[in-house]
Amino acid sequence: MLGKVVIVGVGLIGGSFALALKNAGQVGEVVGIGRHPEALARALELGIVDRITEDYADALRGADLVLLAAPVAQTGAILSALLPHLEPQTVVTDAGSTKCDVVAAARAVLGDRVHQFVPGHPIAGSESNGPDAALAGLYHGKKCVLTPLPENAAHDVEKVAGAWRACGAVIHTLSPADHDRVFAAVSHLPHLLAYALVDDIAAKPHADMLFQYAASGFRDFTRIAGSSPEMWRDISLANRAALLTELDAYLAQLTSMRAMLAAADGVGLQGIYATAQRARREWQEAIEAGSPERRSPNQENT
């Protein structure tokens, strides 16, 4: 049971965290703070938070846990605002989709108090944004990856893990570097590709006609291009090195497939399609079976 939780950024991610804790009866008070007064007011109106404030001293007084649910590029500035008011018992965590940059910002700002920061990343979301998109069940059965620091005390890591478990999440642990390499491949690259395709179609002179005939395949492939441009700009730049590596590999694959298409190499194309189909089917079956996708060597035994 957490007495007081502070949410910095009360949109989809932070708002869903607050609602889940409330529904589970695992928090006494939720305080919202952030850049957008209208979003804070809406979160209060919806009952996502119990109180809103623009004063970090007020927000952090007696806080057990602080969740940073803002674009990753803001991490340093937010931590700088928190630091003068950070009490010894308060643990700070985040929900950022990149970890190496977040850890670097935490070390730079917090210094010898970095032990109070436990990095995290819930693997859940939606293309919708803002407090109205928040869902109490968003994290149920979803993974939350923690990337603890050597300085973190075990009980502080457990405080963060316990909060996410109360939201219904399943805890996994990775190093920050491994986290960023993994998500460059399976999250950041797909978002980049979806944005690129929609932007390419929208720039064509007959874009209206193209969108008129776009159907479920286009909708499914590009759904994530409806996500926050600011957030994904920050993620792309923060994980630039790993994302460039994955993008180069994808470009090499496209070059190979283009050569097959130009040569009318049906056997080669079918081989790639068949391999991809098999891999995706196995992945889907693993999800449905709950193993190994839901339980890996780095997952807590809960």
Side-chain angles (χ1 to χ4, degrees), residues 111-201:
D112 61 4
R113 301 191 69 182
V114 75
H115 65 90
Q116 290 180 251
F117 182 76
V118 180
H121 176 204
I123 314 305
S126 164
E127 66 273 19
S128 301
N129 307 302
D132 286 280
L135 298 168
L138 182 67
Y139 304 115
H140 185 74
K142 304 295 178 60
K143 289 183 285 295
C144 179
V145 178
L146 301 185
T147 63
L149 308 179
E151 296 91 339
N152 292 146
H155 59 83
D156 287 340
V157 175
E158 177 55 31
K159 181 184 286 189
V160 175
W164 284 112
R165 282 196 217 99
C167 295
V170 180
I171 304 300
H172 287 238
T173 303
L174 293 171
S175 72
D178 283 344
H179 170 282
D180 288 358
R181 282 191 291 268
V182 167
F183 287 94
V186 299
S187 176
H188 307 166
L189 179 64
H191 277 81
L192 184 149
L193 300 178
Y195 282 120
L197 178 59
V198 177
D199 183 70
D200 178 61
I201 297 293

